[in-house]
Amino acid sequence: MTLQELKPEIRSIVSQPKLSVDHKLLQICKLLEAHVDYYNWVGFYFKNGDKDELKLGPYVGEPTDHTIIPFGKGICGQVAVSNQNFVVPDVAAQDNYIACSITVKAEIVVPVFVNGENVGQIDIDSNTPDPFTEADERFLEFVCKEVAKLIS
């Protein structure tokens, strides 16, 4: 499936009335990981209450020890502060990178906004060097807008 073909699937998951928010988020992770070859770890992090940290939400991929990430630390923590997409073509070239797995070569993180506030983000790791394009950014912005509807 192309990224464009995945959009109606995302909308369908979001609109399921009987599923919990976490179940919908997990379904989104599974869909993306299964249908985009270079998405090897797909997960959500959300602001942890009033703390300046992120807490791991639903995800698909290798288990991670990074269940809490302080604002400013790693790619996810930097996005929590900058409120901007962060595309990392080569994680080895990043000074402020938290390694989840030695197989990860690239990462993309896109924030989720609710009423203008950065409440979380989608985080995708790839075992492929420099796979993410502007099309991935636009698609993940769409995903985050749909996710925002679940948690607003």
Side-chain angles (χ1 to χ4, degrees):
M1 272 186 185
T2 67
L3 298 177
Q4 289 304 315
E5 290 170 334
L6 288 170
K7 285 184 174 183
E9 302 290 325
I10 297 290
R11 283 191 189 104
S12 174
I13 292 168
V14 169
S15 66
Q16 293 292 321
K18 295 182 180 171
L19 299 180
S20 69
V21 170
D22 276 358
H23 191 79
K24 290 177 186 181
L25 293 172
L26 182 60
Q27 291 302 104
I28 290 170
C29 293
K30 287 179 178 179
L31 178 75
L32 297 183
E33 193 271 338
H35 292 286
V36 184
D37 291 345
Y38 52 94
Y39 287 13
N40 302 112
W41 191 98
V42 180
F44 290 95
Y45 282 92
F46 292 100
K47 189 168 190 292
N48 191 9
D50 292 335
K51 300 175 185 171
D52 285 342
E53 64 185 24
L54 298 165
K55 184 175 183 180
L56 180 62
Y59 73 95
V60 173
E62 292 291 318
T64 179
D65 293 334
H66 306 292
T67 57
I68 300 289
I69 299 177
F71 281 14
K73 184 138 176 70
I75 307 308
C76 291
Q78 290 176 74
V79 169
V81 174
S82 73
N83 299 322
Q84 295 180 4
N85 299 351
F86 199 153
V87 180
V88 182
D90 177 7
V91 296
Q94 284 293 316
D95 290 338
N96 189 2
Y97 172 69
I98 302 171
C100 292
S101 167
I102 59 168
T103 60
V104 175
K105 305 291 185 226
E107 183 174 9
I108 184 169
V109 179
V110 176
V112 176
F113 292 100
V114 174
N115 299 322
E117 180 187 351
N118 182 348
V119 298
Q121 52 204 227
I122 190 167
D123 176 21
I124 298 177
D125 292 343
S126 180
N127 299 339
T128 305
D130 196 13
F132 303 115
T133 66
E134 188 172 328
D136 290 287
E137 276 194 83
R138 299 297 83 82
F139 172 69
L140 294 172
E141 287 168 353
F142 162 82
V143 171
C144 288
K145 284 179 182 157
E146 291 297 307
V147 167
K149 294 174 186 177
L150 298 175
I151 55 180
S152 60

